[in-house]
Amino acid sequence: MSIKKIAVVTAGGDAPGMNAAIRSVVRYAVSKNIETIGVMRGWWGLINEELKPLDRRSVSGIISQGGTVLKTARCPEFRTKEGQARAFNTVKKNKIDGLVAIGGNGTFSAAHSFYKNHKVACIGIPASIDNDINGIEQTIGSDTAINTALYAIDNIRDTATSMERVFVVEVMGRGCGYIALEVAIAAGCEEVIIPERKYNLTSICQDIVEGNLRGKLSWILVVAEGAASAYEIAKKITKITRLETRAIVLGHVQRGGRPTALSRILAARLGEAAVDCLLRGLKDKAVSLKCGRIETVDFKKAITGKKIEVDKSLDLIKTLT
Ligand code: F6P
């Protein structure tokens, strides 16, 4: 089937660089004489036929903006037969030949199930701050989120050192410790607690007390949201060590902001690759950049959950403390 018209959707949690990906999809499609339609508010837009034609000019100036100009949402309705049937109607009515879905695990699961049920060709572009997609080296937005968290922790370091305190900083990542591990290394943090490995708070507290006796009077522990709550950990540390401990939850600040060069370049390359995949007749797959080369990963594999390599990073944090 020749591809004349495609639709692009951003779904799930937004990630910095989604706009750069939309821009890349639209501009590359235009260069191939393909019409592009934007689907508004995630999968809801396909269910409710909320569409917007996108041309070269409509994506001007968005490369540097966080968030997504198409808006995004979580859409439980798309998991139902009725929701997908309505979405399929929109696809048929508007003569859409293929979809590009920009998002994370949830978005890829939805696209995979839509393909299984209605055979609509869809190519996924991985975009999520969590970097938790199996087979995908790096998702759009994760580098920006790490840099945002890094900026915050560098600031916290100043006050932690000056007031000789212990800080516990909670970062996002859903069930994955990727942001926590990376930022802990980049910010020179003393400890990291992630869902991928059991932690022993008694032994962490022992390290803090022993460190204090050696004259190390400030500590920053990074906690991944999927492993524990910063408030709970801080409370326990205060109780065990008797040291003044503060908790900070960085939260959604990590989701916004200007995408870094790395997030934008990844988005530009993957946008183009996704359209190329549709032109080659591929479907039910995500595009990824591995060691600088474009690859595809089956949605089925991508949605099975990512295992991150934690051992080396944890060793590094210990060695450098
Ligand atoms: O998947 C991105 C993410 O920011 C996770 O890190 C976090 O657990 C979740 O989304 C928060 O979702 P919401 O914005 O719907 O509260």
Side-chain angles (χ1 to χ4, degrees):
M1 184 180 75
S2 78
I3 303 278
K4 294 195 188 75
K5 197 196 250 187
I6 60 170
V8 57
V9 61
T10 48
D14 49 282
M18 276 184 163
N19 278 329
I22 297 168
R23 173 182 180 271
S24 170
V25 168
V26 173
R27 295 247 166 115
Y28 188 65
V30 168
S31 79
K32 297 281 173 187
N33 296 316
I34 300 169
E35 206 182 312
T36 310
I37 290 185
V39 177
M40 299 303 296
R41 300 187 168 75
W43 299 108
W44 286 111
L46 216 52
I47 293 173
N48 297 327
E49 203 183 351
E50 210 188 328
L51 309 173
K52 171 177 159 182
L54 297 171
D55 63 11
R56 197 178 266 282
R57 290 277 68 77
S58 65
V59 291
S60 290
I62 67 170
I63 195 167
S64 58
Q65 292 170 15
T68 158
V69 290
L70 295 177
K71 317 282 183 196
T72 185
R74 311 228 181 254
C75 180
E77 185 80 7
F78 199 71
R79 287 194 216 116
T80 68
K81 252 186 171 179
E82 298 72 29
Q84 286 202 6
R86 285 175 59 190
F88 185 52
N89 260 341
T90 303
V91 169
K92 279 191 299 184
K93 191 172 153 199
N94 290 277
K95 299 190 167 56
I96 294 166
D97 301 317
L99 283 174
V100 175
I102 306 173
N105 272 317
T107 306
F108 289 1
S109 297
H112 178 54
S113 128
F114 198 41
Y115 177 72
K116 274 201 302 191
N117 296 332
H118 296 283
K119 298 287 168 279
V120 176
C122 183
I123 296 295
I125 297 183
S128 159
I129 62 165
D130 303 336
N131 201 28
D132 59 349
I133 307 178
N134 195 29
I136 307 281
E137 201 170 83
Q138 188 154 47
T139 53
I140 295 166
S142 55
D143 179 66
T144 308
I146 290 163
N147 277 289
T148 303
L150 177 62
Y151 181 82
I153 295 177
D154 282 349
N155 285 1
I156 293 165
R157 176 72 71 191
D158 292 342
T159 176
T161 314
S162 305
M163 296 197 73
E164 299 177 325
R165 278 175 172 164
V166 180
F167 275 83
V168 183
V169 185
E170 185 179 314
V171 298
M172 276 189 165
R174 207 179 284 277
C176 177
Y178 179 79
I179 297 177
L181 262 185
E182 295 289 286
V183 80
I185 295 172
C189 296
E190 284 74 17
E191 192 51 84
V192 62
I193 295 177
I194 50 171
E196 290 81 359
R197 197 194 56 165
K198 280 201 178 121
Y199 63 95
N200 180 339
L201 203 56
T202 314
S203 118
I204 292 175
C205 287
Q206 202 175 326
D207 285 350
I208 294 175
V209 171
E210 283 170 9
N212 263 42
L213 293 173
R214 290 194 313 269
K216 177 171 177 44
L217 302 177
S218 69
W219 295 75
I220 299 182
L221 287 83
V222 179
V223 178
E225 64 171 352
S229 136
Y231 289 108
E232 291 300 316
I233 297 285
K235 226 197 278 174
K236 286 181 187 159
I237 292 177
T238 306
K239 200 171 161 203
I240 300 172
T241 64
R242 309 246 158 246
L243 293 168
E244 194 163 2
T245 306
R246 293 279 192 270
I248 294 174
V249 178
L250 294 184
H252 287 79
V253 74
Q254 296 156 99
R255 281 247 294 267
R258 289 167 72 85
T260 56
L262 211 141
S263 291
R264 296 183 202 191
I265 294 162
L266 186 59
R269 295 203 58 192
L270 295 184
E272 179 183 289
V275 176
D276 260 340
C277 283
L278 285 174
L279 283 172
R280 282 163 50 210
L282 300 182
K283 48 199 77 155
D284 204 26
K285 286 176 192 303
V287 284
S288 102
L289 197 65
K290 193 168 185 187
C291 301
R293 293 168 67 104
I294 298 290
E295 283 192 354
T296 58
V297 178
D298 289 344
F299 275 152
K300 205 171 166 192
K301 176 180 173 189
I303 60 184
T304 52
K306 178 171 175 162
K307 296 240 180 323
I308 56 168
E309 299 256 344
V310 293
D311 289 355
K312 283 196 182 116
S313 303
L314 289 169
D315 288 349
L316 193 61
I317 289 167
K318 274 269 165 274
T319 317
L320 300 185
T321 297

